[in-house]
Amino acid sequence: MSKFDEIRPFYDHEVNEALRGIARDPMMTALMGFTFPDVDKQVWREQFKNIHSISDFQHQFIAHTIRQILAKSSEGLTTSGFEKLAPNTPYLFVSNHRDIVLDTSLLNLVLLEKEFIMTSSAIGDNLVQKTFLHVLAKLNRNFLVQRGLSIREQLKSSQTMSEYIEQLLHVEKRSVWIAQREGRTKDGNDATQQGVLKMLAMAAGDLSLTDYFKTLKIVPISISYEYDPTDSLKMPQLLARHRDEEYIKGKDEDFMTMLSGVLGQKKRIHIHAGTVLDTELDDIAHLENKNKQLQAIAQMIDDSIIQNYKLWPTKFIAYDLLHNTDTYASEYTDQEKQLFIRRLEMRIDLSDAVSQEFFLAMYANPLINKMKSGQKSPE
């Protein structure tokens, strides 16, 4: 019994039995029906019998699912920055977080197609309450972040997760994906939570914080969707926060958000891999306490994510509508603007000025943050 058993994905020798256990689940039938619309279910059920590793399952099935999602609900995925990475090196990808399923799935499709090491990815256990989703997550090499714990349990859970990430990177030579913050960014402001970095630092042992973080080979990831398919679903939470009210999620809200993210229209998507945090960590080694060092590392990650975030026309349109200006009119066409306004009209109540402002800010904030971070001429 390993101390990681509660959070780890399946070992390869467990995959076949786990997969066959959900082969007849209606959700698997729906998933495979979406992935292989012209294939009889008996065919893929038979093929499942020959799957004996996570790699088999990802290459032969899930990669096709993600390609199908791109074909049906996007205008394509582009990438940049990966040419600076080495194919056989495990990295810790610290990413901005927009979509529950796709942020990590799309990165892994890129890694698979470029023949890089694919990731083991962190996912909140609150998102996989359904047995099928829990098994599917473990079949996709997800490890669980335990939510809703007491302070004492949280500390123990963070220590375990920190040690597990260290083992993945240094012993198993497996890349890791983790979001820069707990939960998705709802308002378009991408900011690294120091708590995430504190958790990572727990496994440093005798190494100094900066030396340990060098060994993690942190790569900031910027993912940018032209349209956020869950934009309107993020509004109730934003409005509750604005009104200083407690927001209580509906019973199946996370699951419906997952489905909307997967099936909703995203238009173009771009993923940028930043440069590995390395020598710049030497520049902060002199800072007198760990908190200041962690703040500085969070700022490095934020700067990379914000500056390398692909600004689609929707971001410029939202900025101009929000500020009642045409400052960025050269960055989009009239047709793109009309389509975005139509989306706005369909997804929120325009008579509610606060809703309108929050919706537009969600799209405009990456541009505003890029300007603030010194990139005066956004791409």
Side-chain angles (χ1 to χ4, degrees):
M1 174 90 178
S2 152
K3 63 178 165 185
F4 304 129
D5 280 351
E6 275 190 31
I7 64 168
R8 67 169 176 81
F10 290 122
Y11 294 132
D12 282 345
H13 71 265
E14 299 168 327
V15 165
N16 189 265
E17 186 183 343
L19 184 55
R20 291 169 74 167
I22 56 169
R24 295 185 178 277
D25 190 292
M27 289 172 86
M28 181 60 90
T29 305
L31 182 68
M32 289 297 111
F34 171 83
T35 306
F36 305 111
D38 304 320
V39 176
D40 187 83
K41 60 188 172 193
Q42 292 311 323
V43 175
W44 52 260
R45 277 183 189 157
E46 197 58 35
Q47 289 170 339
F48 278 1
K49 293 175 185 174
N50 300 317
I51 299 296
H52 294 279
S53 69
I54 287 178
S55 181
D56 287 350
F57 183 57
Q58 289 184 316
H59 279 76
Q60 295 178 42
F61 292 94
I62 295 303
H64 295 285
T65 305
I66 305 307
R67 290 187 191 110
Q68 190 77 315
I69 289 167
L70 285 171
K72 288 192 177 300
S73 67
S74 84
E75 291 177 10
L77 170 66
T78 51
T79 63
S80 53
F82 288 89
E83 68 282 354
K84 294 180 191 152
L85 302 181
N88 297 317
T89 301
Y91 295 104
L92 173 57
F93 295 106
V94 179
S95 176
N96 64 335
H97 194 19
R98 289 291 195 280
D99 187 90
I100 294 169
V101 174
L102 287 182
D103 293 352
T104 173
S105 300
L106 292 172
L107 173 64
N108 271 301
L109 182 66
V110 171
L111 297 175
L112 180 149
E113 292 183 344
K114 292 183 183 297
E115 297 184 353
F116 277 46
I117 298 171
M118 292 169 69
T119 73
S120 195
S121 305
I123 188 169
D125 63 0
N126 57 305
L127 301 173
V128 291
Q129 296 293 312
K130 295 176 189 289
T131 303
F132 172 80
L133 293 177
H134 189 198
V135 174
L136 188 65
K138 291 174 71 170
L139 283 168
N140 273 293
R141 211 179 268 115
N142 288 290
F143 61 92
L144 299 181
V145 181
Q146 296 166 310
R147 304 273 195 233
L149 302 175
S150 68
I151 302 278
R152 191 189 214 165
E153 290 171 320
Q154 210 171 337
L155 200 62
K156 184 169 175 284
S157 171
S158 294
Q159 181 71 44
T160 303
M161 187 156 66
S162 187
E163 290 172 18
Y164 185 58
I165 289 170
E166 192 275 333
Q167 177 178 296
L168 285 168
L169 289 165
H170 297 149
V171 180
E172 298 182 28
K173 307 297 182 191
R174 166 67 53 198
S175 286
V176 173
W177 178 97
I178 193 166
Q180 67 178 156
R181 42 162 294 149
E182 182 182 323
R184 290 166 302 135
T185 304
K186 310 291 192 305
D187 58 8
N189 288 314
D190 295 312
T192 303
Q193 284 175 344
Q194 239 177 283
V196 172
L197 301 181
K198 246 183 203 158
M199 177 276 294
L200 292 171
M202 284 176 154
D206 297 331
L207 288 177
S208 71
L209 187 131
T210 50
D211 283 346
Y212 180 63
F213 270 67
K214 270 190 179 182
T215 73
L216 299 178
K217 295 188 171 65
I218 293 172
V219 174
I221 292 285
S222 310
I223 186 161
S224 171
Y225 300 87
E226 189 165 9
Y227 279 156
D228 179 348
T230 62
D231 48 19
S232 59
L233 298 176
K234 292 174 179 174
M235 294 302 295
Q237 207 163 336
L238 288 171
L239 292 169
R241 194 194 306 161
H242 172 71
R243 297 181 190 120
D244 214 13
E245 297 169 353
E246 184 186 1
Y247 180 75
I248 297 166
K249 282 184 184 176
K251 183 171 172 285
D252 282 328
E253 187 172 326
D254 285 329
F255 180 61
M256 296 313 294
T257 299
M258 278 190 222
L259 278 184
S260 299
V262 166
L263 301 173
Q265 179 53 241
K266 293 160 271 290
K267 293 195 83 176
R268 291 171 290 183
I269 308 164
H270 187 81
I271 300 177
H272 178 88
T275 51
V276 181
L277 296 194
D278 186 35
T279 51
E280 54 269 63
L281 293 168
D282 295 332
D283 301 337
I284 63 163
H286 69 280
L287 293 173
E288 64 269 28
N289 66 48
K290 278 187 180 177
N291 270 344
K292 290 212 165 130
Q293 291 181 344
L294 290 170
Q295 271 173 9
I297 295 167
Q299 193 60 56
M300 288 174 197
I301 295 169
D302 290 352
D303 287 346
S304 177
I305 287 173
I306 289 164
Q307 289 170 17
N308 293 304
Y309 184 98
K310 175 77 175 171
L311 293 171
W312 299 112
T314 48
K315 317 298 174 187
F316 296 105
I317 295 164
Y319 180 95
D320 281 356
L321 290 172
L322 187 62
H323 297 93
N324 197 21
T325 177
D326 58 2
T327 304
Y328 290 108
S330 61
E331 301 288 347
Y332 52 84
T333 65
D334 280 345
Q335 186 188 16
E336 285 169 333
K337 185 176 181 180
Q338 290 313 313
L339 279 171
F340 185 78
I341 291 170
R342 178 84 182 113
R343 183 180 184 85
L344 180 69
E345 291 167 348
M346 287 173 69
R347 293 174 95 81
I348 62 160
D349 175 6
L350 289 183
S351 66
D352 182 348
V354 175
S355 289
Q356 187 169 335
E357 183 185 334
F358 278 37
F359 188 93
L360 292 173
M362 187 191 301
Y363 279 92
N365 279 334
L367 165 59
I368 294 166
N369 293 333
K370 199 166 194 172
M371 289 191 292
K372 280 181 191 164
S373 76
Q375 297 281 312
K376 297 300 177 194
S377 52
E379 59 195 42

